[in-house]
Amino acid sequence: QQQVKQSPQSLIVQKGGISIINCAYENTAFDYFPWYQQFPGKGPALLIAIRPDVSEKKEGRFTISFNKSAKQFSLHIMDSQPGDSATYFCAARTGNQFYFGTGTSLTVIP
Amino acid sequence: DGGITQSPKYLFRKEGQNVTLSCEQNLNHDAMYWYRQDPGQGLRLIYYSQIVNDFQKGDIAEGYSVSREKKESFPLTVTSAQKNPTAFYLCASSSQQGDTEAFFGQGTRLTVV
């Protein structure tokens, strides 16, 4: 059973547009929600993370929106660039266990 | 530089052979993990270890084995019992203190030939 559900599976956005990736969870024991960016043949790298007591966190062009009551969180990439083309994973942590979404393949068209 | 080092980057195995993937970290993290990544399936947990000399099975442990004799090292052996071992393998580590994420190595791509 997938503990963290991620959508869409793939996303194509024009350069300069907004990319939005959504995740949902059920386990209220999750206490930390990181997002990872992965380029082909490389390991995932942390992009941005949020705690459930915060509704929004912004770092540059990347913003996490968090809705604790709905158990949903999303990644927004503003002014999307071709260099943002990668696979993005949401994750949720409880204790020392991390649960990952199935990933979203983002393609930004010039 | 602090980080996680996986080796080799590419590995080829003949059917019926065991192979061992190396993972070393110098981040002083207590917890270490092995994930398998297949296209369209995200990251699936194979094994994890929270302290030296202790480890637990993840969701897809069958056909794999691990050891944790040192804090810095968490090698993964892919045994001949693993029926479909061709995949991208990722090692990660994390601290057990505070807000911290998992840090990943650069992965090992294993191909059965």
Side-chain angles (χ1 to χ4, degrees):
Chain A
Q1 183 181 358
Q2 193 71 27
Q3 295 247 12
V4 180
K5 297 182 179 179
Q6 182 172 348
S7 63
Q9 186 174 4
S10 62
L11 182 61
I12 299 174
V13 173
Q14 292 276 359
K15 178 183 175 181
I18 302 173
S19 304
I20 302 174
I21 303 170
N22 301 299
C23 287
Y25 66 96
E26 288 297 327
N27 189 347
T28 56
F30 290 145
D31 61 1
Y32 195 61
F33 299 86
W35 282 88
Y36 290 86
Q37 179 188 56
Q38 184 181 28
F39 293 103
K42 303 294 186 183
L46 178 72
L47 193 61
I48 186 172
I50 197 168
R51 287 182 55 86
D53 53 355
V54 176
S55 62
E56 185 175 282
K57 183 174 182 179
K58 183 176 181 180
E59 290 185 1
R61 296 184 295 109
F62 301 93
T63 300
I64 301 177
S65 297
F66 194 90
N67 186 331
K68 188 174 180 178
S69 61
K71 300 190 188 74
Q72 295 175 348
F73 58 111
S74 59
L75 175 69
H76 296 234
I77 306 174
M78 312 300 287
D79 187 26
S80 298
Q81 299 297 312
D84 297 331
S85 297
T87 299
Y88 292 81
F89 292 95
C90 61
R93 185 196 72 178
T94 177
N96 276 326
Q97 284 271 43
F98 291 87
Y99 297 87
F100 291 86
T102 51
T104 296
S105 177
L106 171 65
T107 301
V108 181
I109 301 172
Chain B
D1 277 2
I4 301 177
T5 302
Q6 289 187 242
S7 62
K9 187 172 183 179
Y10 300 97
L11 187 57
F12 297 89
R13 189 194 91 171
K14 292 183 179 180
E15 286 192 17
Q17 284 183 336
N18 294 352
V19 290
T20 298
L21 284 58
S22 171
C23 178
E24 303 278 334
Q25 56 100 357
N26 60 4
L27 299 168
N28 199 34
H29 286 166
D30 288 307
M32 296 188 74
Y33 314 81
W34 275 105
Y35 293 92
R36 172 177 170 144
Q37 187 173 29
D38 296 286
Q41 295 198 44
L43 304 174
R44 293 186 292 167
L45 182 65
I46 304 172
Y47 269 97
Y48 67 100
S49 169
Q50 298 192 39
I51 56 172
V52 173
N53 292 323
D54 184 55
F55 47 83
Q56 289 80 40
K57 293 181 179 180
D59 300 320
I60 56 166
E62 184 175 352
Y64 300 97
S65 66
V66 294
S67 63
R68 187 87 186 275
E69 297 177 1
K70 298 186 300 181
K71 187 176 185 178
E72 302 79 18
S73 179
F74 191 40
L76 173 74
T77 296
V78 184
T79 75
S80 58
Q82 170 49 237
K83 298 306 179 187
N84 184 24
T86 295
F88 191 52
Y89 291 88
L90 288 162
C91 179
S93 71
S94 74
S95 170
Q96 299 194 62
Q97 305 296 327
D99 288 341
T100 182
E101 57 283 341
F103 292 84
F104 285 86
Q106 290 302 291
T108 293
R109 184 165 299 281
L110 173 63
T111 303
V112 173
V113 298

